[in-house]
Coordinates of all heavy atoms in Angstrom, one line a residue:
M1308 N 0.9 -1.2 0.0 CA 0.0 0.0 0.0 C 0.9 1.3 0.0 O 1.8 1.4 0.8 CB -0.9 0.1 1.3 CG -1.7 1.3 1.3 SD -2.8 1.2 2.8 CE -3.6 2.9 2.6
V1309 N 0.6 2.1 -0.9 CA 1.4 3.4 -1.0 C 0.5 4.5 -0.4 O -0.5 4.9 -0.8 CB 1.7 3.6 -2.5 CG1 2.5 5.0 -2.5 CG2 2.5 2.6 -3.1
V1310 N 1.2 5.2 0.5 CA 0.5 6.3 1.2 C 1.2 7.6 0.7 O 2.4 7.7 0.8 CB 0.8 6.3 2.7 CG1 0.1 7.5 3.3 CG2 0.1 5.0 3.3
K1311 N 0.4 8.5 0.1 CA 1.0 9.8 -0.3 C 0.6 10.9 0.5 O -0.5 11.0 0.8 CB 0.5 10.0 -1.8 CG 1.0 9.1 -2.9 CD 0.7 9.3 -4.3 CE 1.1 8.3 -5.2 NZ 0.9 8.7 -6.7
R1312 N 1.7 11.6 0.9 CA 1.4 12.8 1.7 C 1.8 14.0 1.1 O 2.9 14.2 0.5 CB 2.2 12.6 3.1 CG 1.9 11.4 3.9 CD 2.7 11.4 5.1 NE 2.4 10.2 5.9 CZ 3.3 9.5 6.6 NH1 4.5 9.9 6.7 NH2 3.1 8.3 7.2
F1313 N 1.0 15.1 1.2 CA 1.4 16.4 0.7 C 2.5 17.0 1.6 O 2.5 16.9 2.8 CB 0.3 17.3 0.6 CG -0.5 17.2 -0.6 CD1 -1.7 16.4 -0.7 CD2 -0.2 17.8 -1.8 CE1 -2.4 16.1 -1.7 CE2 -1.1 17.7 -3.0 CZ -2.1 16.8 -3.0
I1314 N 3.5 17.6 0.9 CA 4.5 18.3 1.6 C 4.2 19.9 1.8 O 4.1 20.5 0.7 CB 6.0 18.2 1.0 CG1 6.3 16.7 0.8 CG2 7.1 18.9 1.7 CD1 7.5 16.5 0.0
A1315 N 3.9 20.2 2.9 CA 3.4 21.7 3.1 C 4.5 22.6 2.6 O 5.6 22.6 3.1 CB 2.9 22.0 4.5
G1316 N 4.2 23.6 1.7 CA 5.1 24.6 1.4 C 6.1 24.2 0.3 O 6.9 25.0 -0.2
A1317 N 6.0 22.9 -0.2 CA 7.1 22.4 -1.2 C 6.6 23.1 -2.6 O 5.5 23.1 -2.9 CB 7.0 20.9 -1.3
V1318 N 7.5 23.5 -3.2 CA 7.4 24.0 -4.6 C 7.9 23.1 -5.7 O 9.0 22.7 -5.6 CB 8.0 25.5 -4.8 CG1 7.9 26.0 -6.2 CG2 7.6 26.4 -3.7
C1319 N 7.0 22.8 -6.7 CA 7.5 22.0 -7.8 C 8.6 22.7 -8.6 O 8.5 23.8 -9.0 CB 6.3 21.6 -8.6 SG 6.7 20.7 -10.1
P1320 N 9.7 22.0 -8.8 CA 10.8 22.6 -9.5 C 10.4 22.7 -11.1 O 11.2 23.3 -11.8 CB 12.1 21.7 -9.3 CG 11.4 20.4 -8.9 CD 10.1 20.7 -8.1
K1321 N 9.5 22.0 -11.5 CA 9.2 22.0 -12.9 C 8.1 23.1 -13.3 O 8.3 24.0 -14.0 CB 8.7 20.6 -13.3 CG 8.4 20.5 -14.8 CD 8.0 19.0 -15.3 CE 7.9 18.9 -16.7 NZ 7.4 17.5 -17.0
C1322 N 7.0 23.0 -12.5 CA 5.9 24.0 -13.0 C 5.8 25.1 -11.9 O 5.1 26.1 -12.2 CB 4.6 23.2 -12.9 SG 4.1 22.6 -11.4
G1323 N 6.5 25.0 -10.8 CA 6.5 26.1 -9.9 C 5.4 26.4 -9.0 O 5.3 27.3 -8.2
L1324 N 4.5 25.4 -9.0 CA 3.3 25.6 -8.1 C 3.6 25.0 -6.7 O 4.4 24.1 -6.5 CB 2.1 24.7 -8.6 CG 1.5 25.4 -9.9 CD1 0.5 24.4 -10.5 CD2 1.0 26.8 -9.7
M1325 N 3.1 25.7 -5.7 CA 3.2 25.3 -4.3 C 2.1 24.3 -3.8 O 1.0 24.4 -4.3 CB 3.2 26.6 -3.5 CG 3.7 26.2 -2.0 SD 3.7 27.8 -1.0 CE 5.3 28.3 -1.5
D1326 N 2.5 23.4 -2.9 CA 1.6 22.5 -2.2 C 0.9 21.6 -3.2 O -0.1 21.1 -3.1 CB 0.5 23.3 -1.5 CG 1.0 24.1 -0.3 OD1 2.0 23.7 0.2 OD2 0.2 25.1 0.0
K1327 N 1.8 21.3 -4.3 CA 1.3 20.2 -5.3 C 2.2 19.0 -5.2 O 2.0 18.1 -5.9 CB 1.3 20.8 -6.6 CG 0.5 21.9 -7.0 CD -0.9 21.5 -6.8 CE -1.9 22.7 -7.2 NZ -3.3 22.4 -7.0
I1328 N 3.1 19.1 -4.3 CA 4.2 17.9 -4.2 C 3.8 16.8 -3.1 O 3.4 17.2 -2.0 CB 5.6 18.4 -3.7 CG1 6.1 19.5 -4.8 CG2 6.6 17.3 -3.7 CD1 6.3 18.9 -6.2
V1329 N 3.6 15.6 -3.5 CA 3.3 14.7 -2.6 C 4.6 13.7 -2.4 O 5.4 13.6 -3.2 CB 2.2 13.6 -3.1 CG1 0.9 14.5 -3.2 CG2 2.4 13.0 -4.4
N1330 N 4.7 13.2 -1.3 CA 5.9 12.4 -0.8 C 5.3 10.9 -0.6 O 4.3 10.8 0.1 CB 6.5 12.9 0.4 CG 7.6 11.9 0.9 OD1 7.4 11.4 2.0 ND2 8.6 11.6 0.2
Y1331 N 5.9 10.0 -1.2 CA 5.6 8.6 -0.9 C 6.7 7.7 -1.1 O 7.7 8.0 -1.6 CB 4.4 8.2 -1.8 CG 4.7 8.1 -3.4 CD1 5.1 6.9 -3.9 CD2 4.7 9.3 -4.0 CE1 5.3 6.9 -5.2 CE2 5.0 9.2 -5.4 CZ 5.3 8.0 -6.1 OH 5.7 7.9 -7.4
Q1332 N 6.5 6.4 -0.7 CA 7.7 5.5 -0.8 C 7.2 4.0 -1.2 O 6.1 3.6 -0.7 CB 8.6 5.4 0.4 CG 7.8 4.9 1.7 CD 8.7 4.9 2.8 OE1 8.4 5.5 4.0 NE2 9.8 4.3 2.8
D1333 N 8.1 3.3 -1.8 CA 7.9 1.9 -2.1 C 8.8 1.1 -1.2 O 9.1 1.6 -0.1 CB 8.0 1.5 -3.6 CG 9.4 1.9 -4.1 OD1 10.3 2.1 -3.2 OD2 9.6 1.8 -5.3
D1334 N 9.1 0.0 -1.6 CA 9.8 -1.0 -0.7 C 11.1 -0.3 -0.2 O 11.5 -0.5 1.0 CB 10.1 -2.3 -1.4 CG 8.8 -3.1 -1.6 OD1 8.0 -2.9 -0.9 OD2 9.0 -3.9 -2.6
T1335 N 11.9 0.3 -1.1 CA 13.3 0.7 -0.7 C 13.5 2.2 -0.9 O 14.5 2.8 -0.4 CB 14.3 0.0 -1.5 OG1 14.0 0.2 -2.9 CG2 14.1 -1.5 -1.1
K1336 N 12.7 3.0 -1.8 CA 13.0 4.3 -2.0 C 11.9 5.3 -1.8 O 10.7 4.8 -1.7 CB 13.3 4.3 -3.6 CG 14.5 3.7 -4.0 CD 14.7 3.6 -5.6 CE 15.9 2.9 -5.7 NZ 16.2 2.9 -7.3
N1337 N 12.2 6.5 -1.6 CA 11.2 7.6 -1.4 C 11.2 8.5 -2.6 O 12.2 8.7 -3.3 CB 11.6 8.5 -0.2 CG 11.5 7.8 1.0 OD1 10.5 7.9 1.7 ND2 12.5 6.9 1.5
Y1338 N 9.9 8.9 -2.9 CA 9.8 9.8 -4.2 C 8.9 10.9 -3.6 O 8.2 11.0 -2.7 CB 9.0 9.0 -5.1 CG 9.7 7.7 -5.6 CD1 9.3 6.5 -5.1 CD2 10.7 7.8 -6.6 CE1 9.9 5.3 -5.6 CE2 11.3 6.6 -7.1 CZ 10.9 5.5 -6.5 OH 11.5 4.2 -7.0
R1339 N 9.1 12.0 -4.5 CA 8.3 13.1 -4.5 C 7.7 13.3 -5.8 O 8.4 13.1 -6.9 CB 8.9 14.5 -4.1 CG 10.2 14.8 -5.0 CD 10.7 16.2 -4.5 NE 11.9 16.4 -5.4 CZ 12.7 17.6 -5.4 NH1 12.2 18.6 -4.6 NH2 13.6 17.8 -6.1
E1340 N 6.4 13.7 -5.9 CA 5.7 13.8 -7.2 C 4.8 14.9 -7.2 O 4.1 15.2 -6.2 CB 5.0 12.4 -7.5 CG 4.2 12.4 -8.9 CD 3.6 11.1 -9.1 OE1 3.9 10.1 -8.4 OE2 2.6 11.1 -9.8
C1341 N 4.8 15.6 -8.3 CA 3.9 16.8 -8.5 C 2.6 16.4 -9.1 O 2.5 15.7 -10.2 CB 4.5 17.9 -9.4 SG 3.4 19.4 -9.7
V1342 N 1.5 16.5 -8.4 CA 0.1 16.2 -8.8 C -0.4 17.0 -9.9 O -1.4 16.8 -10.5 CB -0.8 16.1 -7.6 CG1 -0.4 15.1 -6.6 CG2 -1.1 17.5 -7.0
S1343 N 0.3 18.1 -10.1 CA -0.2 19.2 -11.1 C 0.4 18.7 -12.6 O -0.4 18.7 -13.6 CB 0.2 20.6 -10.7 OG -0.2 21.4 -11.8
C1344 N 1.8 18.6 -12.5 CA 2.3 18.4 -13.9 C 2.9 17.0 -14.1 O 3.5 16.7 -15.2 CB 3.5 19.5 -14.2 SG 4.9 19.3 -13.0
G1345 N 2.9 16.2 -13.1 CA 3.5 14.8 -13.2 C 5.0 14.8 -12.9 O 5.6 13.6 -13.0
Y1346 N 5.7 15.9 -12.5 CA 7.1 15.7 -12.1 C 7.4 14.7 -11.1 O 6.6 14.6 -10.1 CB 7.6 17.1 -11.7 CG 8.9 17.1 -11.2 CD1 10.0 17.2 -12.0 CD2 9.3 17.1 -9.8 CE1 11.3 17.2 -11.5 CE2 10.5 17.1 -9.2 CZ 11.5 17.1 -10.1 OH 12.8 17.2 -9.5
K1347 N 8.4 13.9 -11.2 CA 8.6 12.9 -10.3 C 10.2 12.8 -10.0 O 10.9 12.9 -10.9 CB 8.2 11.6 -10.8 CG 8.3 10.3 -9.8 CD 7.8 9.1 -10.5 CE 7.9 7.9 -9.6 NZ 7.4 6.6 -10.1
D1348 N 10.5 12.7 -8.7 CA 12.0 12.7 -8.4 C 12.1 11.7 -7.3 O 11.2 11.4 -6.4 CB 12.5 14.0 -8.0 CG 13.9 14.2 -7.9 OD1 14.5 13.3 -8.5 OD2 14.5 15.2 -7.3
E1349 N 13.4 11.1 -7.1 CA 13.6 10.2 -6.0 C 14.3 10.9 -4.9 O 15.1 11.9 -5.2 CB 14.5 9.1 -6.5 CG 15.0 8.1 -5.5 CD 16.0 7.1 -6.0 OE1 16.1 6.8 -7.2 OE2 16.7 6.5 -5.2
I1350 N 14.0 10.7 -3.7 CA 14.5 11.3 -2.6 C 15.4 10.4 -1.8 O 14.8 9.2 -1.4 CB 13.5 11.9 -1.6 CG1 12.5 12.8 -2.3 CG2 14.0 12.6 -0.4 CD1 11.3 13.1 -1.4
L1351 N 16.6 10.7 -1.7 CA 17.5 9.8 -0.8 C 17.7 10.3 0.6 O 18.4 11.3 0.8 CB 19.1 9.9 -1.6 CG 19.0 9.5 -3.1 CD1 20.4 9.7 -3.7 CD2 18.7 8.0 -3.2
I1352 N 17.0 9.5 1.4 CA 17.1 10.0 2.9 C 17.6 8.9 3.7 O 17.6 8.9 5.0 CB 15.8 10.3 3.4 CG1 14.8 9.2 3.2 CG2 15.2 11.6 2.5 CD1 13.4 9.6 3.8
K1353 N 18.0 7.6 3.1 CA 18.5 6.5 3.9 C 19.6 6.9 4.8 O 19.5 6.6 6.1 CB 19.0 5.4 3.0 CG 17.8 4.8 2.5 CD 17.2 3.7 3.3 CE 15.9 3.1 2.7 NZ 15.3 2.1 3.5
P1354 N 20.7 7.6 4.5 CA 21.7 7.9 5.5 C 21.3 8.7 6.7 O 21.8 8.6 7.7 CB 22.7 8.7 4.5 CG 22.5 8.3 3.1 CD 21.1 8.0 3.1
V1355 N 20.4 9.7 6.3 CA 19.9 10.6 7.5 C 19.2 9.7 8.5 O 19.3 9.9 9.6 CB 19.0 11.6 6.9 CG1 18.4 12.5 8.0 CG2 19.8 12.5 5.9
Q1356 N 18.3 8.8 8.0 CA 17.5 7.9 8.9 C 18.6 7.1 9.8 O 18.3 7.1 11.0 CB 16.7 6.9 8.3 CG 15.5 7.6 7.6 CD 14.5 6.6 6.9 OE1 15.0 5.6 6.3 NE2 13.3 6.8 7.0
R1357 N 19.5 6.7 9.2 CA 20.5 5.8 10.0 C 21.2 6.7 11.1 O 21.3 6.3 12.2 CB 21.6 5.2 9.2 CG 21.1 4.0 8.5 CD 22.2 3.4 7.6 NE 21.7 2.3 6.7 CZ 22.3 2.0 5.6 NH1 23.4 2.6 5.2 NH2 21.8 1.1 4.8
E1358 N 21.5 7.9 10.7 CA 22.2 8.7 11.7 C 21.3 9.1 12.9 O 21.6 9.1 14.1 CB 22.6 10.2 11.0 CG 23.4 10.9 11.8 CD 23.9 12.2 11.0 OE1 23.8 12.2 9.8 OE2 24.2 13.2 11.6
L1359 N 20.0 9.3 12.6 CA 19.0 9.6 13.5 C 18.7 8.4 14.5 O 18.7 8.5 15.8 CB 17.6 10.0 13.0 CG 17.6 11.3 12.3 CD1 16.2 11.5 11.6 CD2 17.8 12.4 13.4
E1360 N 18.7 7.2 13.9 CA 18.6 6.0 14.8 C 19.7 5.8 15.8 O 19.6 5.5 16.9 CB 18.5 4.7 14.0 CG 17.1 4.6 13.2 CD 17.2 3.4 12.2 OE1 18.2 2.7 12.2 OE2 16.1 3.4 11.5
T1361 N 21.0 6.2 15.3 CA 22.1 6.0 16.2 C 22.1 7.0 17.3 O 22.3 6.7 18.4 CB 23.4 6.3 15.4 OG1 23.4 5.4 14.3 CG2 24.8 6.2 16.2
R1362 N 21.6 8.2 17.0 CA 21.4 9.2 18.1 C 20.4 8.8 19.0 O 20.6 9.0 20.3 CB 21.0 10.6 17.4 CG 22.3 11.3 16.8 CD 21.7 12.6 16.2 NE 22.9 13.1 15.4 CZ 22.6 14.2 14.4 NH1 21.4 14.7 14.4 NH2 23.7 14.7 13.8
V1363 N 19.3 8.2 18.6 CA 18.2 7.8 19.6 C 18.8 6.8 20.4 O 18.6 6.7 21.6 CB 17.0 7.4 18.7 CG1 16.0 6.6 19.8 CG2 16.3 8.5 18.1
N1364 N 19.5 5.8 19.8 CA 20.0 4.6 20.7 C 21.0 5.1 21.8 O 20.9 4.8 22.9 CB 20.8 3.7 19.8 CG 19.8 2.9 18.9 OD1 18.5 2.8 19.2 ND2 20.2 2.3 17.8
T1365 N 21.8 6.2 21.3 CA 22.8 6.7 22.3 C 22.1 7.4 23.5 O 22.4 7.2 24.6 CB 23.7 7.7 21.6 OG1 24.3 7.0 20.5 CG2 24.7 8.2 22.5
T1366 N 21.0 8.2 23.1 CA 20.2 8.8 24.1 C 19.5 7.9 25.0 O 19.7 8.0 26.3 CB 19.1 9.7 23.5 OG1 19.8 10.6 22.6 CG2 18.3 10.5 24.4
E1367 N 19.0 6.8 24.5 CA 18.3 5.8 25.4 C 19.5 5.1 26.4 O 19.1 4.9 27.5 CB 17.7 4.6 24.5 CG 16.5 5.1 23.9 CD 15.4 5.5 24.9 OE1 15.2 4.9 25.9 OE2 14.7 6.6 24.5
E1368 N 20.7 4.8 25.8 CA 21.6 4.2 26.7 C 22.0 5.2 27.8 O 22.2 4.9 28.9 CB 22.9 4.0 25.9 CG 22.8 2.9 24.7 CD 22.7 1.5 25.5 OE1 23.1 1.4 26.7 OE2 22.1 0.5 24.9
E1369 N 22.0 6.5 27.5 CA 22.4 7.6 28.5 C 21.4 7.6 29.6 O 21.5 7.7 30.7 CB 22.6 8.8 27.9 CG 23.9 9.0 26.9 CD 24.0 10.3 26.1 OE1 23.0 10.9 26.1 OE2 25.0 10.4 25.6
K1370 N 19.9 7.4 29.1 CA 19.0 7.5 30.0 C 18.9 6.3 31.1 O 18.9 6.4 32.2 CB 17.6 7.5 29.3 CG 17.3 8.7 28.7 CD 15.8 8.6 27.9 CE 15.5 9.9 27.3 NZ 14.2 9.7 26.6
K1371 N 19.3 5.2 30.4 CA 19.4 3.9 31.3 C 20.6 4.1 32.4 O 20.3 3.8 33.5 CB 19.7 2.7 30.4 CG 18.4 2.2 29.7 CD 18.8 1.1 28.7 CE 17.6 0.7 27.9 NZ 17.9 -0.3 26.9
A1372 N 21.7 4.6 31.9 CA 22.8 4.9 32.8 C 22.4 5.8 33.9 O 22.7 5.6 35.1 CB 24.0 5.3 31.9
A1373 N 21.8 6.8 33.5 CA 21.3 7.7 34.6 C 20.4 7.2 35.5 O 20.4 7.4 36.8 CB 20.6 9.0 33.8
V1374 N 19.3 6.3 35.1 CA 18.5 5.8 36.0 C 19.1 4.8 36.9 O 18.9 4.7 38.0 CB 17.4 5.1 35.1 CG1 16.6 4.1 36.1 CG2 16.5 5.9 34.4
Q1375 N 20.1 4.0 36.3 CA 20.9 3.2 37.3 C 21.6 3.8 38.4 O 21.6 3.4 39.5 CB 21.8 2.3 36.3 CG 21.2 1.2 35.5 CD 22.3 0.4 34.7 OE1 23.3 1.0 34.5 NE2 21.9 -0.8 34.3
V1376 N 22.2 5.0 38.0 CA 22.9 5.7 39.1 C 21.8 6.1 40.1 O 22.1 6.1 41.3 CB 23.5 7.0 38.5 CG1 24.0 7.8 39.6 CG2 24.7 6.5 37.6
L1377 N 20.6 6.5 39.8 CA 19.6 7.1 40.7 C 19.0 5.9 41.6 O 18.7 6.1 42.7 CB 18.5 7.7 39.9 CG 18.9 9.1 39.4 CD1 17.7 9.6 38.5 CD2 19.3 10.0 40.4
N1378 N 19.1 4.6 40.9 CA 18.3 3.4 41.7 C 19.4 2.9 42.7 O 18.9 2.1 43.5 CB 18.0 2.4 40.6 CG 16.8 2.8 40.0 OD1 16.0 3.7 40.4 ND2 16.6 2.2 38.9
F1379 N 20.7 3.2 42.6 CA 21.5 2.7 43.5 C 22.3 3.8 44.4 O 23.4 4.0 44.1 CB 22.6 1.8 42.9 CG 21.8 0.6 42.1 CD1 21.7 0.6 40.8 CD2 21.5 -0.5 42.9 CE1 21.1 -0.5 40.2 CE2 20.8 -1.6 42.2 CZ 20.7 -1.6 40.9
P1380 N 21.7 4.4 45.2 CA 22.3 5.5 45.9 C 23.2 4.9 47.2 O 22.6 3.7 47.6 CB 21.2 6.4 46.6 CG 20.0 5.4 46.6 CD 20.3 4.4 45.4
P1381 N 24.2 5.3 47.5 CA 25.0 4.7 48.5 C 24.3 4.9 49.8 O 23.8 6.0 50.2 CB 26.4 5.5 48.5 CG 26.0 6.7 47.8 CD 24.9 6.5 46.8
K1382 N 24.1 3.7 50.6 CA 23.5 3.9 51.9 C 24.5 4.3 52.9 O 25.4 3.8 53.1 CB 22.9 2.5 52.2 CG 21.7 2.0 51.3 CD 21.2 0.8 51.7 CE 20.0 0.3 50.9 NZ 19.5 -1.0 51.3
T1383 N 24.1 5.3 53.7 CA 25.0 5.9 54.6 C 24.5 5.6 56.0 O 23.3 5.5 56.2 CB 25.1 7.5 54.4 OG1 23.9 8.0 54.4 CG2 25.8 7.7 53.1
Ligands
ZN13 ZN1 4.7 20.5 -11.1

């Protein structure tokens, strides 16, 4: 199933109309397409997604470490 979403404020590089660009993806690639003139382009965003995942994982690790410190206070 292909879900197409309009990109707010996006301007078509071919016909110049705003809010006519939809974004959708198939199995492996992302595309943007103009519903007005039929312009279609591939969007390469894979490397960005990997970078974000790495940052999220790092943040979760840091949270766990912080919680562990709080759960084991030295008893005096
Ligand atoms: Zn267009």
Side-chain angles (χ1 to χ4, degrees):
M1308 179 179 174
V1309 176
V1310 179
K1311 296 188 178 183
R1312 296 180 190 147
F1313 277 95
I1314 305 174
V1318 177
C1319 176
K1321 186 175 179 183
C1322 68
L1324 292 177
M1325 186 177 284
D1326 295 335
K1327 297 294 182 183
I1328 301 292
V1329 292
N1330 171 245
Y1331 65 96
Q1332 65 182 125
D1333 60 16
D1334 292 336
T1335 57
K1336 294 178 181 177
N1337 286 269
Y1338 300 96
R1339 58 178 177 169
E1340 183 177 334
C1341 177
V1342 297
S1343 179
C1344 70
Y1346 172 83
K1347 185 177 176 182
D1348 192 18
E1349 183 182 334
I1350 305 174
L1351 300 175
I1352 60 173
K1353 287 281 182 182
V1355 177
Q1356 283 185 325
R1357 281 180 190 160
E1358 188 177 339
L1359 287 174
E1360 285 173 6
T1361 303
R1362 284 180 187 168
V1363 169
N1364 289 339
T1365 303
T1366 303
E1367 288 300 316
E1368 291 289 336
E1369 288 172 353
K1370 284 180 182 175
K1371 287 176 184 174
V1374 169
Q1375 283 181 339
V1376 171
L1377 292 173
N1378 283 344
F1379 299 102
K1382 292 181 178 179
T1383 54

